[in-house]
């Protein structure tokens, strides 16, 4: 399968077998999921966005015991305890960090000075130059199809990847709407060097998401996720009772403050981690409509690679 990705910039950069990165998703990406992805040839990421500094340190130490393969940490830069998280990352000598939700200029020098490889997530091509200027090693371009929090431009992956590829020569990782080998091949055709996959791994056996959330999500069909709360921070959610409350409030002209009050605190934890399917935020991507089974990571990786190979043969004859 390594011949699928000859001379690949992403595999070379991170020292991994396949250019498949598991998204660092809140309440899904603990050490069990991340280590399983790394042990099967991809790059597993701990999702620090739902972790207090002490919890992150615990997961990092468990990762060190669970895998000898490369792995990393995803850090949303708007996290309130960002300084403490970065200190934990430095103290624990993490080798790879993916940053998101903020300017790459703020923390990239700190990380690079400690020998850490840095990738930054962007939602538009204008930020590509800022990433280069900040000194990041790779860019993740995430399209509108992705689950969770989104860029305000609502640019789809098929449009975004060629735009970012045109703007930079840095290793480029496609994210948003990637959930099969055919998607991987399409991302390569558009100019990406690798892919970051969220929803498919969020619904894996090893994901720390609640079983009830996983079972609800795999029943979702086309149109069952929507981007909402655009007045605050756009987020893609599965439709449920909470989503309907938000939709009703927005139709009635709710202000940002009123929406903040409705949102409250801990909605994502309540929905994804605790399995409250009515009152929780159920973050997942559009590609969930193609996922109909909860599988172990080993099986997911094998199927991704086999389908990429078969799709390539079907298109090229070899």
């Amino acid at each position: 399968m390594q011949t699928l990705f000859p001379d690949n910039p992403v595999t070379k950069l991170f020292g991994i077998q396949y250019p498949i990165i598991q998204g660092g998703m809140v309440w899904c990406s603990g050490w069990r999921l991340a280590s399983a992805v790394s042990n099967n040839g991809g790059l597993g990421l701990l999702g620090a966005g739902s972790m207090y500094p002490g919890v992150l340190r615990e997961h990092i130490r468990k990762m060190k015991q669970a895998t000898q393969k490369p792995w990393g940490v995803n850090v949303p830069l708007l996290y309130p305890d960002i300084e403490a998280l970065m200190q934990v990352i430095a103290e624990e000598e993490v080798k790879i960090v993916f940053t998101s939700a903020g300017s790459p200029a703020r923390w990239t020098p700190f990380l690079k000075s400690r020998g850490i490889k840095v990738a930054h997530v962007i939602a538009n091509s204008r930020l590509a130059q800022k990433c280069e200027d900040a000194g990041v090693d790779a860019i993740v371009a995430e399209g509108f199809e992705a689950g969770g929090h989104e860029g305000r431009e609502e640019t789809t992956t098929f449009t975004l990847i060629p735009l970012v590829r045109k703007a930079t020569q840095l290793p480029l990782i496609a994210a948003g709407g990637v959930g099969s080998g055919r998607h991987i091949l399409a991302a390569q055709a558009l100019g990406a060097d690798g892919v970051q996959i969220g929803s498919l791994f969020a619904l894996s056996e090893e994901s720390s998401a609640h079983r009830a959330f996983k079972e609800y999500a795999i029943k979702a069909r086309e149109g069952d996720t929507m981007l909402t709360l655009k007045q605050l921070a756009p987020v893609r959610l599965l439709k449920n009772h909470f989503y309907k409350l938000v939709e009703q409030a927005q139709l009635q002209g709710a202000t940002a403050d009123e929406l903040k009050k409705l949102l409250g605190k801990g909605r994502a934890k309540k929905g994804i981690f605790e399995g409250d399917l009515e009152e929780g935020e159920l973050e997942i991507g559009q590609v969930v409509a193609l996922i109909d089974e909860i599988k172990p990571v080993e099986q997911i990786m094998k199927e991704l690679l086999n389908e990429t190979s078969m799709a390539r043969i079907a298109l090229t004859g070899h």
Side-chain angles (χ1 to χ4, degrees):
M1 289 299 179
Q2 284 181 303
T3 56
L4 281 173
F5 313 104
D7 300 318
N8 186 275
V10 171
T11 59
K12 288 181 178 179
L13 175 64
F14 298 125
I16 55 180
Q17 193 172 2
Y18 310 116
I20 298 173
I21 288 84
Q22 161 249 312
M25 304 160 287
V26 294
W27 305 115
C28 297
S29 307
W31 69 270
R32 288 183 180 86
L33 174 57
S35 63
V37 173
S38 289
N39 283 333
N40 282 280
L43 182 70
L45 298 178
L46 295 173
S50 54
M51 297 180 184
Y52 290 113
V55 175
L56 176 60
R57 192 186 299 275
E58 177 186 348
H59 278 260
I60 288 173
R61 292 181 176 179
K62 287 182 176 178
M63 277 294 290
K64 291 175 181 177
Q65 295 175 343
T67 184
Q68 300 301 310
K69 301 290 184 67
W71 55 274
V73 177
N74 173 272
V75 187
L77 297 177
L78 296 180
Y79 189 88
D81 285 340
I82 185 66
E83 288 83 3
L85 283 180
M86 289 298 190
Q87 194 59 42
V88 169
I89 286 168
E91 290 172 0
E92 293 294 330
E93 300 182 340
V94 173
K95 303 299 183 186
I96 300 168
V97 170
F98 279 49
T99 55
S100 60
S103 170
R106 174 66 181 89
W107 285 100
T108 299
F110 171 89
L111 296 167
K112 294 286 289 182
S113 69
R114 288 156 177 80
I116 298 171
K117 292 173 182 174
V118 179
H120 188 71
V121 182
I122 63 175
N124 63 68
S125 61
R126 297 187 304 276
L127 290 174
Q129 187 59 53
K130 290 185 177 180
C131 287
E132 285 194 1
D133 293 343
V136 306
D137 297 291
I139 290 175
V140 180
E142 185 173 77
F144 169 69
E145 300 93 327
H149 291 283
E150 298 288 345
R152 296 186 178 278
E153 294 85 355
E154 300 188 12
T155 306
T156 64
T157 303
F158 254 52
T159 301
L160 181 61
I161 298 306
L163 286 170
V164 177
R165 178 75 292 165
K166 191 175 180 180
T168 183
Q169 291 305 306
L170 286 174
L172 177 58
I173 299 161
V178 182
S180 72
R182 289 170 294 167
H183 289 133
I184 293 172
L185 193 61
Q188 287 183 293
L190 291 170
D193 301 301
V195 296
Q196 178 172 286
I197 294 176
S199 299
L200 189 60
F201 287 127
L203 303 181
S204 68
E205 289 283 2
E206 291 89 345
S207 163
S208 51
H210 197 282
R211 185 79 184 189
F213 167 74
K214 297 178 189 179
E215 291 177 351
Y216 186 76
I218 63 173
K219 295 175 184 175
R221 293 296 174 257
E222 183 181 354
D224 284 347
T225 72
M226 295 295 290
L227 196 68
T228 189
L229 290 170
K230 296 179 186 179
Q231 299 95 317
L232 304 178
V235 60
R236 182 172 297 283
L237 304 175
L238 276 169
K239 293 177 181 178
N240 67 345
H241 181 253
F242 170 68
Y243 168 78
K244 290 176 183 177
L245 291 178
V246 172
E247 184 180 36
Q248 184 178 19
Q250 291 178 146
L251 287 173
Q252 294 172 349
T255 65
D257 285 340
E258 288 170 336
L259 289 173
K260 282 181 184 177
K261 185 176 180 181
L262 175 60
L263 178 62
K265 291 186 177 181
R267 286 275 187 184
K269 180 182 181 182
K270 183 179 290 187
I272 301 169
F273 193 67
E274 297 175 355
D276 188 332
L277 303 179
E278 295 298 320
E279 300 301 328
E281 270 190 316
L282 307 179
E283 301 181 10
I284 205 77
Q286 284 184 340
V287 76
V288 71
L290 293 170
I291 305 169
D292 55 14
E293 188 179 349
I294 301 167
K295 302 174 183 177
V297 165
E298 182 179 9
Q299 182 179 347
I300 289 171
M301 289 292 291
K302 286 179 179 178
E303 290 178 357
L304 286 171
L305 295 167
N306 286 335
E307 189 175 25
T308 303
S309 178
M310 295 301 293
R312 176 168 291 174
I313 291 169
L315 286 173
T316 67
H318 59 272

